[in-house]
Amino acid sequence: MSHHKIDIKDLDYMYPDGKKAVNGFSINITHGESVALVGANGAGKSTLLSLMVGILMPQKGEIIIGDTHLSKETLPLLRQKIGMTFQNADDQLFMNSVYEDVAFGPRNYKLNEEEVDARVIGALKKVDALHLKDRPPYKLSGGEKRAVSIATALSLDPDILLMDEPTAALDPKSRRRLIGILKEFAHTKIIATHDLDMALDVCDRTIVMNQGTVVADGRTKDIMVNDELLEKCSLERPLILQGQNN
Amino acid sequence: MSNITGALYKIRYLDEFSRKKTLMHRLSPTIKLIVTLIYILLVVSFGKYQLGGVIAMSAYPLIMLSLAEMPAKELIKRVVVAMPFVMGVGIFNPVFDRDIMTYFLGIGISGGWISFLTLIVKGVLTVSSAIILVGTTGIENIAHSMRILKMPKIFVVLILLTYRYISVLMEEAASIWTAYKLRAPGQKGIRHDVWGPLLGQLLLRTYDRGIRVYDAMILRGFDGDFRMGTAFVTGIGSYLFLLIALAGFLIIRLSVITMILDLLI
């Protein structure tokens, strides 16, 4: 069974205060696609990611990962296949050492310790952070924390990676390094971001969200030069494309 | 704000210290937990006027402190934090219990003062032994040991998350304080009329943050059981520690030394 594809149909979510964050959202993402999810603040990007991993449960519509419908019963299986990184890496790192933090997921899925060790070392190598394995997470720099938080998701060997603002609060060098790492992943990726230059670099496809719904879905290269659309959604051309003609 | 930031480092100091490799650190976490629990029960079991016996029980944390190579200063700083609560419990003993029980340098000492002192020493010893346990074992290993000892899952998770919540609370408190101080130059402390909104903010922010940390845990398969890497190996050294500690406790608890100390005091 492949878990790499995602099918979301007519999804609705309203917060208890009455704010409708996701409103009739439908998309289909296939194996290995790298998708940027962009939109202004409050467009519903983070809510959508939370719905896809069952942190929030949809009030209407359905989410199908591979061939499995997302429900309370299927969550443990699906969460093993979907890795997610949060906007604030600090929220994701809670153990005493980087190694223990990355091993937390594989151990919860009761893998034997040899396998856990291989997963931890493999995940840390992928994000170029093996040298940090014995450090306490709270002593790492922002870029190192981000790399380790990605490793915590990778250690479960997920088919799909969801990332919420992965480049937020990174210095230019750490950001560039992270972009390099993301480009190497063969996973199906959905990256919610305001960093449109990164989106242009890493994602072939871009979905533009506004008021909880899809307003555009297409090739990143095309969307990033559609000034009318970007303006309407409180976005701007990526820096690298500013001053260029369509 | 150096206070809160400093306190945050103090909390983390114990986490970092627990990764040392001294003789005490290498002992089985489960055995250390059992010994600490028995020690706390025995200390608490002394009568309210048995000050001598309780003082004799201080041998255990002193020896542990030395074997774990933990700086006494670090322990004292943490014990002092708990003392106001202990003092609050016993503060009225000298007021209500005024019968003179003994004389020291010709001054009559009432039962209330002896029971108050006994309570303080009991507080110091039980808190010290718990801190030494955390500092030589680590909170995750303690949680794992609790599950080995069949303590209810919900109880263990509660302890673990409460421990984690302390650092979340302090981080948020530090950032709220910094934001306040930057807009209230020259003020000492926080004005009383903003205490309410500030504490409300702190509660809401830490609650949100706590939820996000918990979400991160369940996304990685957390089901209430804390799984540590390798199974705990309880070597001969750990059993020896258990035997010596228990024998020591019993000798102090039942022995003549305690009785003599009590009679003297």
Side-chain angles (χ1 to χ4, degrees):
Chain A
M1 180 167 58
S2 166
H3 284 289
H4 298 242
K5 54 181 184 169
I6 302 166
D7 204 3
I8 299 178
K9 292 176 188 163
D10 205 19
L11 202 66
D12 275 8
Y13 186 82
M14 186 191 280
Y15 281 102
D17 64 1
K19 182 183 184 319
K20 198 156 192 179
V22 175
N23 188 9
F25 187 94
S26 299
I27 48 164
N28 187 281
I29 292 168
T30 54
H31 184 175
E33 271 194 291
S34 189
V35 180
L37 195 60
V38 303
N41 290 330
K45 306 183 294 292
S46 298
T47 307
L48 182 71
L49 294 188
S50 295
L51 286 164
M52 289 172 72
V53 286
I55 289 175
L56 302 172
M57 292 307 278
Q59 284 135 357
K60 196 181 135 222
E62 58 182 343
I63 299 172
I64 305 164
I65 313 284
D67 303 315
T68 312
H69 283 252
L70 187 140
S71 67
K72 281 197 172 136
E73 291 72 36
T74 57
L75 274 182
L77 170 74
L78 291 178
R79 282 177 176 164
Q80 201 175 358
K81 293 295 159 194
I82 305 175
M84 179 165 169
T85 63
F86 291 9
Q87 196 165 345
N88 184 355
D90 275 323
D91 294 341
Q92 224 169 330
L93 307 173
F94 42 78
M95 299 292 279
N96 278 340
S97 74
V98 166
Y99 186 98
E100 293 296 319
D101 232 316
V102 181
F104 182 81
R107 281 181 183 151
N108 281 331
Y109 283 96
K110 296 177 186 158
L111 301 180
N112 67 49
E113 205 47 31
E114 252 174 55
E115 176 70 14
V116 169
D117 189 60
R119 293 273 189 106
V120 174
I121 301 297
L124 286 173
K125 269 187 185 164
K126 274 184 197 164
V127 296
D128 200 13
L130 188 58
H131 60 290
L132 303 172
K133 74 180 171 69
D134 296 319
R135 300 263 305 273
Y138 46 83
K139 286 197 172 170
L140 304 180
S141 71
E144 289 169 338
K145 279 181 188 170
R146 179 64 64 194
V148 173
S149 76
I150 295 171
T152 65
L154 291 180
S155 65
L156 283 171
D157 198 14
D159 296 325
I160 297 165
L161 260 182
L162 307 183
M163 300 178 140
D164 197 356
E165 298 285 3
T167 54
L170 292 189
D171 61 52
K173 195 173 172 189
S174 306
R175 176 182 166 278
R176 179 52 51 199
R177 237 185 91 240
L178 180 70
I179 289 173
I181 291 167
L182 293 180
K183 281 166 97 168
E184 281 175 20
F185 291 160
H187 305 78
T188 302
K189 293 188 283 287
I190 302 181
I191 305 175
T193 186
H194 287 137
D195 182 349
L196 301 190
D197 283 88
M198 184 270 289
L200 192 64
D201 240 6
V202 177
C203 305
D204 300 324
R205 178 178 167 191
T206 291
I207 294 169
V208 186
M209 276 186 90
N210 195 13
Q211 296 183 341
T213 195
V214 179
V215 288
D217 180 357
R219 289 196 326 150
T220 305
K221 282 178 191 163
D222 300 333
I223 287 188
M224 295 303 172
V225 292
N226 186 339
D227 293 323
E228 194 186 333
L229 170 73
L230 294 175
E231 172 73 25
K232 194 178 111 190
C233 299
S234 308
L235 300 170
E236 277 181 354
R237 274 188 187 218
L239 285 174
I240 199 163
L241 296 180
Q242 284 184 11
Q244 287 184 17
N245 293 324
N246 294 357
Chain B
M1 190 38 5
S2 55
N3 291 352
I4 291 181
T5 315
L8 195 59
Y9 276 99
K10 280 182 204 164
I11 286 269
R12 287 171 171 168
Y13 171 84
L14 277 186
D15 286 337
E16 285 178 39
F17 190 81
S18 69
R19 296 168 68 197
K20 283 188 77 164
K21 302 277 180 216
T22 70
L23 180 66
M24 287 317 304
H25 288 80
R26 288 199 302 268
L27 292 176
S28 152
T30 315
I31 297 283
K32 278 187 275 183
L33 177 64
I34 293 172
V35 170
T36 307
L37 288 176
I38 293 174
Y39 174 78
I40 289 173
L41 285 175
L42 284 178
V43 168
V44 174
S45 75
F46 277 92
K48 64 177 181 175
Y49 300 125
Q50 285 185 288
L51 181 58
V54 178
I55 289 173
M57 288 296 275
S58 62
Y60 171 71
L62 288 175
I63 293 170
M64 290 287 283
L65 198 66
S66 152
L67 290 177
E69 296 168 22
M70 185 186 268
K73 194 177 81 181
E74 296 297 335
L75 179 70
I76 293 165
K77 277 196 282 189
R78 285 162 183 80
V79 172
V80 164
V81 175
M83 282 308 103
F85 300 100
V86 181
M87 288 171 84
V89 173
I91 196 78
F92 290 112
N93 289 14
V95 179
F96 293 121
D97 184 357
R98 295 180 176 206
D99 295 340
I100 302 296
M101 284 193 73
T102 186
Y103 287 89
F104 183 71
L105 300 175
I107 302 164
I109 311 276
S110 72
W113 278 110
I114 294 180
S115 65
F116 179 57
L117 281 176
T118 307
L119 191 70
I120 299 240
V121 178
K122 278 183 181 180
V124 168
L125 296 186
T126 49
V127 173
S128 301
S129 62
I131 290 170
I132 292 170
L133 175 70
V134 175
T136 56
T137 313
I139 195 75
E140 282 88 8
N141 282 329
I142 295 172
H144 190 55
S145 299
M146 285 175 163
R147 290 294 292 144
I148 291 172
L149 297 176
K150 305 286 174 207
M151 290 194 193
K153 192 194 269 188
I154 186 83
F155 178 68
V156 176
V157 172
L158 208 62
I159 289 180
L160 207 60
L161 294 185
T162 306
Y163 186 82
R164 283 283 158 253
Y165 185 75
I166 296 171
S167 44
V168 167
L169 184 78
M170 286 181 170
E171 280 170 12
E172 293 297 337
S175 56
I176 286 179
W177 172 259
T178 307
Y180 178 85
K181 207 170 66 170
L182 286 174
R183 282 181 286 154
Q187 272 188 32
K188 279 189 178 174
I190 294 174
R191 266 198 351 255
H192 65 89
D193 54 332
V194 287
W195 267 104
L198 234 58
L199 282 176
Q201 277 281 326
L202 183 63
L203 178 71
L204 292 174
R205 284 168 65 156
T206 52
Y207 179 78
D208 275 350
R209 178 101 196 270
I211 293 276
R212 288 198 298 276
V213 172
Y214 183 68
D215 283 342
M217 292 169 81
I218 56 165
L219 284 184
R220 285 190 271 153
F222 181 66
D223 60 0
D225 260 329
F226 233 80
R227 295 178 181 84
M228 299 310 292
T230 43
F232 293 157
V233 181
T234 309
I236 189 113
S238 296
Y239 287 117
L240 209 60
F241 167 69
L242 178 69
L243 275 178
I244 294 171
L246 292 187
F249 295 163
L250 284 178
I251 289 169
I252 295 173
R253 185 72 185 87
L254 306 170
S255 81
V256 183
I257 305 168
T258 306
M259 280 187 254
I260 292 170
L261 277 169
D262 280 326
L263 281 174
L264 281 177
I265 293 174

